[in-house]
Amino acid sequence: MLLRPASFCFGTLSALLVFYCYGPQYSAVTDYVTQSETEVPRNDGQATDEANATRSSTTMSSVTNRTLGFEKILAVGLPERSDRRDTLTMTATVNDIKLEWVDAVKGSEMNKKAWPAHWNTGKVNRTLAELGNWRSHLNAVRRVVESGWSSALIIEDDADWDIALKSQLQNFANRTRTLSNNGRNESLWITSETATHSPYGDDWDLLYLGSCANPPAPDNSPTFPGEGGQAHWVFPVNGGMSCLYGYAINARSARTLMGWLLDVRDPTDFAVSSYCGHFRCIAVWPELIGTHKPAGPQTKDSSIQSTDNGGFREKGETRNIVHSAILDMLARFGPTELNGSV
């Protein structure tokens, strides 16, 4: 008769001890859960949509900032071509664009040990000027890698653009964000850690803003209206490109492009075009960044190719650019007796 009350008391005592030890923690957890459930507002989608819209609007507006929505704009040029630096610096300033200069390199001054392993092993012998051009662009790409910038636009020192460039880039950005993922290297698929949150979207490795040859655009490529009745096509490319008047890379692709350019046997623009056969590149045509041909002796036209034909250009010009920013700058600030031509 005495065993049953003892068992009952022991069991009751054990339960009381368990509650004493763990009860407060359990109570705190339940209180936290109850409190959290009552304090977190019900998400009806409106707040999220408004936040996303605000974020998207803020991101898109950065296209019109001083670096055109990129973290940096790098201009590549030989220090001795002070004529080009003067012109490009003045033009950029007038258009509220901020540049940083990367000194170009002369191939003739490079140590042969620093040449690419397969340079001049193809069917065509490449020039020392082309070698210097490769080193110069590689230096610019390396600058992006070293600095850890989220993105950079790289232009050459004879670059020119339309005075409406910022509005053109807004249209371009809207189109690049809508392009599909066709042809992308799946091993470099974008994650939340590698996304750049660029106004131009995250699904790209290189943006061709200025080139001199493009493969035909697919029939369904998005377009946007340009100056003077132009229509600009925006489309992915897998090669077939020439010239590097202006191109953009991001933090992720700066590393892959630098690795790709470490050993080349073709000119830089052909090597970059080959890169696009394996990575995600998007082009616009007609180009938004062109190459300016200045007034004066035509030997000034190129630092790579010799154009000593005795020709003289009375007024500068830029192909496919309707309202040249350089000519506009010269008309506003240049010597009137020379009709603002450089």
Side-chain angles (χ1 to χ4, degrees), residues 39-205:
E39 290 185 358
V40 175
R42 181 171 177 267
N43 185 0
D44 59 2
Q46 181 178 357
T48 301
D49 291 344
E50 290 177 352
N52 288 339
T54 301
R55 187 181 303 111
S56 177
S57 175
T58 302
T59 301
M60 286 300 297
S61 66
S62 68
V63 173
T64 62
N65 67 19
R66 298 191 69 201
T67 54
L68 306 177
F70 305 102
E71 186 165 353
K72 297 289 182 179
I73 300 178
L74 301 179
V76 181
L78 290 167
E80 64 197 51
R81 289 303 303 264
S82 55
D83 57 324
R84 290 186 172 185
R85 291 205 180 198
D86 292 343
T87 299
L88 187 58
T89 297
M90 188 68 178
T91 303
T93 302
V94 169
N95 287 266
D96 194 28
I97 293 175
K98 182 181 179 181
L99 305 177
E100 293 187 17
W101 284 93
V102 175
D103 288 345
V105 176
K106 285 185 174 182
S108 58
E109 298 177 357
M110 287 181 59
N111 189 318
K112 268 198 170 185
K113 295 179 180 180
W115 290 17
H118 290 86
W119 186 254
N120 265 345
T121 60
K123 297 180 179 179
V124 179
N125 286 328
R126 300 301 177 184
T127 66
L128 289 175
E130 289 173 322
L131 177 66
N133 180 266
W134 161 78
R135 183 66 257 176
S136 302
H137 278 274
L138 185 54
N139 283 351
V141 175
R142 187 177 70 183
R143 177 101 161 259
V144 180
V145 173
E146 291 173 337
S147 303
W149 294 328
S150 61
S151 61
L153 171 62
I154 300 173
I155 63 177
E156 295 185 328
D157 60 357
D158 56 354
D160 191 14
W161 51 83
D162 199 285
I163 57 175
L165 176 65
K166 291 186 177 182
S167 63
Q168 290 177 331
L169 285 175
Q170 285 183 310
N171 286 322
F172 175 70
N174 279 323
R175 303 312 185 274
T176 60
R177 293 166 74 95
T178 64
L179 287 177
S180 65
N181 185 56
N182 294 335
R184 181 172 180 80
N185 185 332
E186 297 294 336
S187 66
L188 295 178
W189 187 254
I190 298 167
T191 66
S192 59
E193 289 78 19
T194 59
T196 63
H197 306 296
S198 162
Y200 302 94
D202 287 314
D203 192 15
W204 58 271
D205 294 303

Side-chain angles (χ1 to χ4, degrees), residues 91 94-95 160-163 321 323-330:
T91 303
V94 169
N95 287 266
D160 191 14
W161 51 83
D162 199 285
I163 57 175
I321 302 298
H323 303 297
S324 162
I326 290 179
L327 295 184
D328 173 73
M329 178 275 293
L330 291 169

